[in-house]
Amino acid sequence: MVFLPDLSVLITFSVAVLALTLTPGPDMTLFLGKTIVQGRMAGFAAFSGAITGLLLHTFAVALGLSALLAASATAFTILKIVGCLYLLWLAWDALRNGSSFAPDQTERKRESIGSLYLKGLWINLFNPKIIVFFVTFLPQFVRVGDPFATQKLLFLGILFVAIAIPICAVLILSANRIASLLMRSPKATRIVDWVFATVLGGFAIKLLLARSS
């Protein structure tokens, strides 16, 4: 199966995705907040929209990066270096500003399932931070000159979603307890921030050192 990256790449990627999925952000605030306000069905509807947005980003980024790789290996390499620097900035930003999770600020009005799905789709599809992240994160796991780059980028993007789905499903099913913990204990959110920063920062430094050696 030529689309499968090396085992070491898969392990590194999976650890990074795990840290990212557990880090509170706008999408988590939406689907956990809606779960608390309207119930689990509403939470899953918002989450389904968010996942759809990630899948659309995956296909767009995989095709776009593959075209870039075919046009210019140098440009692709530059993008990977910029991506490393961006991952370092994300790690620093997590430590400096912390995670954004405030379900008590979610709108209290009840919304239809379709509306919640579209809201989840919107929050990920048109979030520039997510677009930049996907464009800079996925290329780190594909070598310049890899003839199967498109397949590997698609596989990694789908794997990202496959890892996120069961984790977020558990979060939705336990929404009230998790929201209470995160809001009651700043220490819990700081632990998540440190794990996120350590994984992404360490990964970016490792990549940069490998390129300079």
Side-chain angles (χ1 to χ4, degrees), residues 17-99:
V17 171
L18 181 63
L20 288 166
T21 304
L22 291 173
T23 303
D27 51 354
M28 184 184 290
T29 298
L30 174 67
F31 63 73
L32 288 188
K34 286 301 178 184
T35 301
I36 294 169
V37 174
Q38 285 188 233
R40 291 171 178 171
M41 185 66 73
F44 278 114
F47 173 63
S48 297
I51 285 295
T52 303
L54 292 182
L55 283 172
L56 291 174
H57 280 309
T58 293
F59 288 108
V61 167
L63 294 175
L65 291 177
S66 298
L68 176 63
L69 177 57
S72 172
T74 301
F76 190 77
T77 301
I78 292 173
L79 177 63
K80 294 181 75 169
I81 294 172
V82 171
C84 288
L85 297 176
Y86 181 65
L87 294 178
L88 282 174
W89 181 85
L90 284 178
W92 165 248
D93 187 60
L95 295 179
R96 185 185 60 177
N97 296 322
S99 305

Side-chain angles (χ1 to χ4, degrees), residues 11 19 25 34 40 50 69 78 87 94 108 131 136 142 153 172:
I11 293 173
K34 286 301 178 184
R40 291 171 178 171
L69 177 57
I78 292 173
L87 294 178
R108 306 297 296 184
I131 296 171
T136 56
V142 177
L153 287 168
I172 290 171

Side-chain angles (χ1 to χ4, degrees), residues 114-146:
S115 174
L116 289 170
Y117 174 85
L118 291 175
K119 184 171 284 189
L121 174 64
W122 178 274
I123 205 169
N124 271 353
L125 192 59
F126 298 104
N127 186 336
K129 200 169 184 178
I130 291 179
I131 296 171
V132 172
F133 176 77
F134 261 69
V135 169
T136 56
F137 182 66
L138 290 183
Q140 308 304 330
F141 301 91
V142 177
R143 290 183 295 103
V144 173
D146 190 335

Side-chain angles (χ1 to χ4, degrees), residues 161-211:
V161 172
I163 293 173
I165 286 175
I167 294 173
C168 291
V170 171
L171 293 178
I172 290 171
L173 294 173
S174 311
N176 285 294
R177 279 186 236 169
I178 292 171
S180 176
L181 172 65
L182 292 177
M183 294 174 66
R184 187 178 66 249
S185 174
K187 186 180 292 187
T189 57
R190 289 309 288 164
I191 290 173
V192 173
D193 292 333
W194 275 97
V195 171
F196 174 81
T198 301
V199 171
L200 278 199
F203 174 59
I205 291 171
K206 178 183 176 182
L207 288 171
L208 289 172
L209 290 176
R211 293 184 187 287

